Amino acid sequence: MSNIAVLTSGGDAPGMNAAVMSVARNAAYLGMPLIGIKRGYNGLLGRGQKFEDDFIRLDLDTVLDIADMPGTYLRTARCDEFKDPAVREKAAKILRDLDISGLVVIGGDGSFQGAMRLCELGIPCIGIPGTIDNDLSYTEVTLGYDTATNVCVDTVRAIRATSRSHDRPHVVEVMGRNCGDLALATAEATGAEVVVVPEADWRIDDVAKRLNHQIEIGNTRATVVVAEGCWASMEPFDVYEFLHPYGKQVFPGEPMTTNRLASILKRKCGMAEVRSTVVGYTQRGCSPTARDSMFAFEAGAMAVQLLRKGISNQAIGVENGHTFYMPMEKALAAKRHFNRSLYNLLNAL
Ligand code: ADP
């Protein structure tokens, strides 16, 4: 086989480098030269002046040190032009000119869409699901999700030390885009008293009621975990109307935020303080957990094996704890499963 290539695309996720390392080791073992493409699909647009602007030869020596590093050594970036068929034709030509006969795409659903379109142009592609959001339904877990969950759990535990010390509730926002898995897992692992996610409609008054119940039973240090996408499923609430009379800096029509939710809960629950923390990008910045690294190792090996066998247009994932693959189109069409009974249980106790 001629060259194969690998790129990382979409948001960076811990474990992406481990997956690149695994692809490199397996390619080297099979004697297949590997080219890294820089900044997602941007590297395929032919904008660079020289080869090194967009590509890097990933021999073992180059990647041996990166497997444990968070972020992505190959860099990642949005590339909206790639949605244009003419741009993709050009990209496919560049891949052919480089004698690249297979591409491993590490990214989320958008990146997989790009990979499917490249397959249609005769470039064999394999997808590895790299995103902390766990928003790809065909797989039990995505690469980076376990690491991000552990960061969130550590953060909530650290916050709870202060919550306990000051008898003060706390609202913690975690990532996940429109998927609540990270919030649910964080709430479950930390025993948080309230959790809100994009998949379930919710009202501020219900959250206040639950928090009040906790206060009534003597728990003045409860944790409310909110998913970053939860505002979409919140019953509309006039932030200005509620907070303005308290002299808060807020203007008509302003959206809800985690900080404002804490401010509202403080007043609805009659607490001296309700504080808030947005966990933010630290969720992406840790070395991958053993679990993510193991998935990266297996996925990288499977991707190279599939390309070598001439199998293309497949998405790699985890099913019943085992690494597997399935057609990319079917994978992207898989229906989301929301664990409502867990959600209900977490909010009921
Ligand atoms: P993720 O892969 O994490 O879902 P994005 O949705 O930002 O992240 O997608 C990453 C990249 O994938 C985009 O910047 C674009 O280059 C490519 N992409 C996304 N959607 C499509 C599409 N429909 N067709 C072709 N390429 C796409």
Side-chain angles (χ1 to χ4, degrees), residues 9-11 41-42 77-84 88 107-115 117 130-131 133 135 177:
S9 168
Y41 293 112
N42 286 287
R78 286 185 156 272
C79 178
D80 276 340
E81 302 98 301
F82 207 71
K83 292 176 184 164
D84 177 349
R88 292 198 299 269
D109 59 343
S111 308
F112 282 16
Q113 295 282 355
R117 304 284 94 81
T131 164
D133 299 333
D135 57 353
R177 289 208 285 192

Side-chain angles (χ1 to χ4, degrees), residues 145-316:
Y145 172 64
D146 187 59
T147 307
T149 303
N150 279 285
V151 172
C152 293
V153 168
D154 285 347
T155 305
V156 170
R157 285 177 180 161
I159 287 167
R160 289 198 115 167
T162 293
S163 282
R164 273 196 302 273
S165 306
H166 288 262
D167 280 310
R168 180 192 277 170
H170 210 106
V171 184
V172 185
E173 179 187 310
V174 303
M175 285 182 166
R177 289 208 285 192
N178 59 353
C179 176
D181 285 9
L182 200 46
L184 280 184
T186 303
E188 186 179 13
T190 59
E193 286 79 357
V194 184
V195 57
V196 286
V197 294
E199 293 90 341
D201 293 341
W202 63 285
R203 296 167 57 230
I204 288 196
D205 278 344
D206 292 336
V207 171
K209 206 165 132 194
R210 278 183 225 131
L211 196 54
N212 259 326
H213 170 69
Q214 292 297 323
I215 294 163
E216 275 162 26
I217 62 173
N219 179 5
T220 47
R221 54 204 182 281
T223 307
V224 178
V225 174
V226 303
E228 67 176 343
C230 72
W231 316 118
S233 59
M234 183 189 76
E235 183 177 274
F237 183 92
D238 195 327
V239 182
Y240 175 78
E241 189 184 87
F242 187 87
L243 285 178
H244 184 67
Y246 292 101
K248 302 301 287 181
Q249 272 267 332
V250 55
F251 299 97
E254 277 200 279
M256 183 62 82
T257 63
T258 296
N259 190 23
R260 287 178 182 147
L261 177 61
S263 189
I264 291 163
L265 290 175
K266 164 180 158 168
R267 287 162 177 97
K268 281 191 178 273
C269 299
M271 293 298 288
E273 286 298 347
V274 177
R275 291 289 167 93
S276 64
T277 298
V278 177
V279 183
Y281 284 106
T282 57
Q283 287 162 93
R284 293 183 180 178
C286 267
S287 291
T289 56
R291 197 169 158 176
D292 273 332
S293 293
M294 285 153 64
F295 177 38
F297 183 85
E298 291 186 17
M302 187 174 272
V304 175
Q305 289 292 348
L306 288 172
L307 288 175
R308 194 169 87 112
K309 288 181 193 155
I311 301 171
S312 160
N313 214 350
Q314 305 292 313
I316 293 174

